[in-house]
Structures are given as C-alpha cells and as structure tokens.
Amino acid sequence: MGEIFFLEHTHIFRECECLYKEMAGFNAYQERWYEGKRRKARPLEEYIDFVKRMKKKDFPVNIRFGLEVCYSLEHEGDIRKLKENTNFDFLTGAVHFIDGWAFSHLRQPWKPEEYDLQKLYSRYYELLWQLASSGLFSGLAHPNSLQCFGAYPPGDYSEVYQKLAEECRQKRMYVECSSGLAINYGDPQVGMNPRMLAAMLKNGVPVLTASDAHIPENVGKLVGMMTETIEEAKRRQQREFEQQ
C-alpha cells in the first residue's frame, strides 16, 4: 500500500451530536447506545490538532486524514457547516440509519426474513443516491452495509446501481469496496456485490479498497483479495468491450 485514508467517525465528537437526534430517538437501545457515546464525546478540535501534528511527521506511506460522516437528508445543512468549518483531506459519507433505524449494530441484530427486503433496499439505495447527490462528500463508504446480517439485495438492481454510479461520477466521488462486513460480521461476500462493482467501473468511478479497520491489526485486511476482484472485473469489462 502506498496510501492510507485515516479517519474518525462523527459520533465521537460533541460538535456532531445534532446528526444523531432521530437515531437516538428511534428506540430504547439506540438511545442508550448514543447516550454512552455522548457522555464520552470529545471536542473535534482534539482530532484536528492530532491531524496537524501527524502532517508534520514523515511516514513510509502517504496518509490522508478525514471524517466518516453519518448522512441523513434532514442534516445536510449541518454537514455542510461541518465541511465549511474544517479542512480535512476528505469526507466520506455513510448511510448507517434508515429513517432513524440503526440497522448495522451487532447488539441489535435482525432477521432478513422478517422484513420486506425489496422495500428496505429501495429505501437504502435511495439514501445512498441522496448522499451522492448532496455534493458534500469525497467518497461513499461501504455501500453494501445493509447486508450485514445476511440480507442480500433481492433481485436485480442494475438500473439503480447505474443511477448511483452516474451520480458519483458527476460529483467526482470515489466508492469504497470494503472488507468491513467480512471482518466484523463474518459476511462471506468480501466487498461490494459484483453488479454494483461493475456499474461503478463501467462509469469510471474510482473504486478504493477499505478494510474499515477499528484496530491496527485489521488495517489492510483482505485488501489484496478485493484488489484482485476489482482487477478481474476490469479485465472482464475490457474483454466484453473488445468482443462488441
């Protein structure tokens, strides 16, 4: 690896509390979870000072520093102010909530068969598109995170992926191919699903590998596997183009 994107999540900072109002009010578990985060919240300035100190040091790889921001449509104004008042190398946007429901908490598991997955995925992909169209972010984090408990997309969403890819290209965003679900949830599928990946590559959207590492030992984990998957998808598209 020649470059690492180092980031923190907005839920640990006092200044970002407004982003979690609806999520915290969704149910008792989420209220307790965020209250625990809120009690330990730190000022954003501490992280900004850390970044300034690190940028004065020499590392064997290039390091970019940023934030992973929990996106919701009602808080685009708050996110815009956050972006205007900071000077990070990047902001990556993530959909962690669907209308307040925090769907990816290991302590709040859910069974796919108890949900209308077509309706759920339609809303999830709508939120991903809104995130991209906002123009607030450098990248889109882990766009497959709804499958964290085995809820894979039902049916063919190729048209939806095409629309999302076009928006990401227009906004000059990258998209993560993340091993986070495999590392943290045991998901057998590593990275984004093949049809979404194909749509991103076809539209010229930069696909960056991410390990979503929460501990040092997981930095770069399974990145080699995902890199090969991405390169094979590129070769497949090139062969199909040459056969036309």
Side-chain angles (χ1 to χ4, degrees):
M1 292 183 291
E3 185 172 71
I4 293 176
F5 281 34
F6 183 98
L7 55 82
E8 267 298 356
H9 296 72
T10 47
H11 65 248
I12 76 168
F13 298 115
R14 295 171 187 167
E15 293 85 347
C16 301
E17 182 176 348
C18 59
L19 304 181
Y20 300 91
K21 179 181 178 181
E22 292 78 16
M23 184 279 299
F26 185 81
N27 62 26
Y29 163 77
Q30 292 178 196
E31 183 178 22
R32 291 193 303 272
W33 177 84
Y34 187 67
E35 178 59 24
K37 296 293 182 182
R38 192 185 65 78
R39 286 197 302 267
K40 296 186 292 185
R42 302 167 69 171
L44 184 59
E45 193 63 32
E46 283 189 6
Y47 180 47
I48 293 173
D49 288 343
F50 166 79
V51 171
K52 289 178 180 177
R53 293 198 308 273
M54 292 302 103
K55 286 196 170 187
K56 294 178 182 179
K57 296 181 178 292
D58 292 324
F59 295 100
V61 296
N62 185 45
I63 303 180
R64 297 189 185 188
F65 295 89
L67 281 177
E68 180 172 327
V69 182
C70 291
Y71 172 82
S72 57
L73 180 63
E74 58 266 42
H75 291 295
E76 282 191 2
D78 299 310
I79 298 170
R80 185 168 289 105
K81 290 179 183 177
L82 175 66
K83 182 178 181 178
E84 291 171 352
N85 293 331
T86 56
N87 189 32
F88 290 108
D89 297 325
F90 68 95
L91 293 184
T92 185
V95 172
H96 291 132
F97 322 128
I98 297 179
D99 302 320
W101 173 44
F103 57 81
S104 59
H105 283 228
L106 286 167
R107 294 187 179 182
Q108 185 174 245
W110 49 281
K111 297 179 180 180
E113 60 270 21
E114 295 177 356
Y115 287 78
D116 183 339
L117 291 187
Q118 287 189 332
K119 183 177 180 180
L120 198 57
Y121 263 96
S122 293
R123 180 58 176 152
Y124 177 63
Y125 288 142
E126 180 182 19
L127 292 171
L128 292 182
W129 185 87
Q130 289 174 348
L131 184 161
S133 67
S134 72
L136 294 170
F137 301 101
S138 315
L140 173 59
H142 46 65
N144 60 330
S145 58
L146 185 56
Q147 70 190 45
C148 57
F149 293 113
Y152 293 96
D156 185 358
Y157 286 87
S158 296
E159 292 184 7
V160 176
Y161 300 152
Q162 173 68 19
K163 180 182 177 181
L164 178 60
E166 289 173 354
E167 196 65 28
C168 289
R169 180 189 62 197
Q170 184 178 352
K171 296 300 190 296
R172 298 184 178 181
M173 294 172 62
Y174 67 84
V175 176
E176 284 185 8
C177 189
S178 174
S179 57
L181 292 185
I183 294 169
N184 299 314
Y185 296 83
D187 189 353
Q189 184 182 92
V190 181
M192 72 176 78
N193 73 67
R195 286 177 174 171
M196 180 183 284
L197 175 60
M200 295 299 169
L201 295 175
K202 183 179 180 181
N203 284 275
V205 178
V207 177
L208 304 186
T209 55
S211 50
D212 198 12
H214 294 182
I215 57 175
E217 291 80 1
N218 284 342
V219 174
K221 193 170 185 177
L222 301 178
V223 160
M225 178 188 297
M226 291 187 296
T227 299
E228 179 55 36
T229 298
I230 294 166
E231 292 305 313
E232 175 55 34
K234 289 179 180 179
R235 291 191 291 267
R236 187 182 306 112
Q237 288 190 355
Q238 182 62 30
R239 289 195 297 269
E240 292 173 353
F241 175 78
E242 292 172 352
Q243 292 172 0
Q244 290 178 355

